Amino acid sequence: MTRGPKVGVVLFPGSNCEQDAIEAVRLLGGDTEVLWHGDATVGGVDAVIVPGGFAHGDYLRPGAIARFSPVMGAVGDFARDGGPVVGICNGFQVLTEAGLLPGALQKNRGLKFLCTTVELRVESTHSALTSATSVGDVLRVPINHFEGNYTCAPATLAELQHEDRVVLRYLDNPNGSVDDIAAICNGGRNVVGLMPHPERASHELLGSADGVPLLRSLLDAASQKAA
Amino acid sequence: MRFEVRVEVRLREGVADPQGQTIERSLPHLGFAGVSGVRVGKSIRFVVEAADEAAARAEVEDMCARFLTNPVIEDSEVTLTEAAPVG
């Protein structure tokens, strides 16, 4: 029996979306491994998901403590080596705090915790999360966050725009994010952070399967890494 | 030497502060008119041991840059006071 590429899912104290991510990856034929926050290794995985939740209780700031976890040093090395890394929701916050992605996530405009489904437009297919989509595709994906209001310095925003690194935008901006940004990638395009939850839109039974092409892209990137 | 440290973490100038705005909008309903410029931050207090005040300040500034603040959206003001000797 052939197994798909192996996706490591990071588990911090306070993560709460790791099982959803594992189920979604397996649904698409991928293999998975839980990466414990206290271990300074990503093992032999071909891609990493930093899942949603409230790592370390979001104390100080979301992601501020998680970024110093032993596993994050290994995730950083893996990312710098070109390995595909996706941070979802709290995972996006962790990646910005770790300096693997620029900018920061502030409290939502309007100070409301948002739990709803939003529409996302694919802006770039040149990333580890969007290679299996087409520019202009509109995807219905849930959001579930209080601090998802993406912000960055004007020079950083100009760089993201100029380098086509805004990979997903909200059609109807729910949280005040600058330039309607829902997802960005790093310069190498192998690290992507997004506030919406593609793993919760992995089957029609969940209300939407629009997260599938995103996760499929990640598995494709993982397969290339494995090859 | 021991120093009592207070780090005031604030959102940078120009960064939207939805908590501050919400407080500002609420105050008139309680009869507090004429309040403006509300900004919400946080205060972190601790004691640090160092050779002298300059060394203590350098260490706290380093903590601020690497951990206590997110320089993308926050800055900080550090206040040091020499603590009473122990014992």
Side-chain angles (χ1 to χ4, degrees), chain A residues 10 35-43 45 48 50 66-85 100 225:
Chain A
V10 177
L35 302 175
W36 181 242
H37 70 100
D39 295 338
T41 174
V42 296
V45 302
V48 171
V50 186
R67 66 165 286 214
F68 292 109
S69 301
V71 75
M72 285 309 297
V75 170
D77 291 343
F78 180 78
R80 281 184 284 276
D81 190 38
V85 176
L100 293 174
K225 170 81 176 161

Side-chain angles (χ1 to χ4, degrees), chain A residues 121-142:
Chain A
R121 186 176 57 233
V122 175
E123 302 287 0
S124 172
T125 58
H126 190 195
S127 85
L129 192 69
T130 51
S131 61
T133 63
S134 301
V135 170
D137 282 357
V138 173
L139 308 174
R140 292 182 65 251
V141 180

Side-chain angles (χ1 to χ4, degrees), chain A residues 60-61 64-65 67-68 97 103-104 106-108 110-111 151-153, chain B residues 11 15-19 22 42 44 66-70 72-74:
Chain A
L60 193 58
R61 297 178 305 279
I65 296 172
R67 66 165 286 214
F68 292 109
E97 283 284 341
Q106 279 187 276
K107 289 186 175 62
N108 296 335
L111 276 185
T151 187
C152 60
Chain B
L11 285 169
V15 174
D17 178 4
Q19 288 187 99
T22 302
K42 53 194 157 194
I44 304 171
R66 289 166 55 196
F67 184 44
L68 299 181
T69 72
N70 180 339
V72 177
I73 50 173
E74 296 169 331

Side-chain angles (χ1 to χ4, degrees), chain A residues 9-80:
Chain A
V9 180
V10 177
L11 180 56
F12 297 109
S15 297
N16 63 15
C17 298
E18 76 285 354
Q19 286 302 330
D20 305 63
I22 287 167
E23 286 297 322
V25 167
R26 287 185 179 164
L27 203 61
L28 297 180
D31 196 5
T32 56
E33 181 176 332
V34 172
L35 302 175
W36 181 242
H37 70 100
D39 295 338
T41 174
V42 296
V45 302
D46 308 307
V48 171
I49 292 177
V50 186
F54 300 85
H56 293 274
D58 278 356
Y59 291 159
L60 193 58
R61 297 178 305 279
I65 296 172
R67 66 165 286 214
F68 292 109
S69 301
V71 75
M72 285 309 297
V75 170
D77 291 343
F78 180 78
R80 281 184 284 276

